[in-house]
Amino acid sequence: TVYGFRLPKPDESARRKKPSRYNGPGMQAGAGGRSTGRDDSTRFPGSEVRHPGLRNKIAKQHMANLFAAASAMAVIRGSVGFLTFLLAFAFRRLHYSTLWFGVVLGGSVVGAIVANALAPKIRSLIKEQHILLAALAAIGVTAASAIFYKGTIAQAALATVLGFASGVGKSAFDSMVQKDTPELNRGRAFARFETRFQLVWVAGALIPVAISIPIKAGDICLAVTGMVGAVAYAVDTASE
């Protein structure tokens, strides 16, 4: 917080007086105000549409899709925080060796590392919305499987899947923010969404801290949350 307040504030008045680099919808102006003919529709969604009303409608649709994706990502991050502290307190109550909690944490880290390595290739093959949907479904299916396959190995596998789902989901969401947010607002959007995701992680972690939850009951909660989140997000993206 202290270092945040020490960051220099941008000169808003100077930015407002600066002439626009764009000359017409989706066209970048070159020297002398001439259009270079380059289409910037990927940076400003809907800018290639000349009718103002339709352009605003497309921009609103992009923002609605982005907030739906943010909700899906929040469910994933909240699930990670929930499982981390669920197992930490459950293993302590059951007097498990700390080695097992290390195995669970290690699985989560390995899942995240693999996700970061594979995310660019996955995004080149699958749409970002489908990646988020698959991540939610994977959490629900794996948590449901962990209910029946009891033991620490099942929980380590669940933590690994959660780490992987969080990694690929975050990469897909960041890609959506880059595509659907104007360049000048992109940094603010990244900071705002990431702050909310961190708070959701904390909220998920507080549940097993405040309430003593058995591992099986926690797996049921994760299974229901993942499945419901997947269905809700599938409904939101059905029209795309």
Side-chain angles (χ1 to χ4, degrees):
T1 302
V2 172
Y3 282 110
F5 279 114
R6 292 181 62 183
L7 289 173
K9 295 182 179 180
D11 189 351
E12 296 291 339
S13 60
R15 191 170 68 176
R16 284 195 296 268
K17 293 178 181 179
K18 185 178 180 180
S20 175
R21 296 169 52 221
Y22 298 93
N23 183 22
M27 309 297 286
Q28 184 175 7
R34 294 189 303 273
S35 172
T36 62
R38 193 181 77 180
D39 187 354
D40 283 299
S41 59
T42 57
R43 296 171 60 192
F44 296 87
S47 62
E48 74 281 4
V49 180
R50 294 186 178 277
H51 191 277
L54 182 58
R55 186 164 62 244
N56 291 336
K57 184 178 180 180
I58 293 175
K60 289 180 180 179
Q61 182 62 43
H62 277 282
M63 292 307 298
N65 295 340
L66 190 59
F67 279 108
S71 300
M73 192 61 214
V75 172
I76 296 173
R77 291 289 285 272
S79 299
V80 174
F82 177 82
L83 182 67
T84 301
F85 279 80
L86 169 73
L87 296 181
F89 283 90
F91 284 3
R92 189 177 68 173
R93 287 195 307 269
L94 297 172
H95 304 291
Y96 283 5
S97 170
T98 53
L99 173 65
W100 284 113
F101 189 63
V103 170
V104 170
L105 285 180
S108 178
V109 172
V110 169
I113 291 173
V114 174
N116 290 330
L118 298 181
K121 296 181 180 179
I122 295 175
R123 286 207 322 272
S124 65
L125 300 174
I126 307 174
K127 289 177 62 177
E128 289 85 354
Q129 294 89 337
H130 295 164
I131 293 175
L132 285 170
L133 180 60
L136 287 168
I139 292 173
V141 171
T142 309
S145 301
I147 297 172
F148 301 100
Y149 295 95
K150 301 178 181 179
T152 52
I153 298 299
Q155 301 307 314
L158 177 56
T160 303
V161 171
L162 267 172
F164 183 83
S166 179
V168 296
K170 185 61 167 60
S171 177
F173 179 76
D174 287 349
S175 178
M176 294 179 67
V177 173
Q178 287 182 322
K179 290 194 300 185
D180 295 345
T181 305
E183 187 176 17
L184 292 177
N185 296 333
R186 199 169 293 157
R188 182 183 300 176
F190 274 120
R192 182 178 298 172
F193 282 123
E194 185 58 32
T195 300
R196 292 175 181 176
F197 294 155
Q198 293 287 358
L199 292 175
V200 171
W201 189 98
V202 173
L206 283 176
I207 297 175
V209 173
I211 306 172
S212 179
I213 303 176
I215 294 178
K216 184 177 181 179
D219 290 341
I220 293 173
C221 291
L222 286 175
V224 172
T225 300
M227 291 298 186
V228 171
V231 171
Y233 189 57
V235 172
D236 283 336
T237 57
S239 59
E240 297 182 29

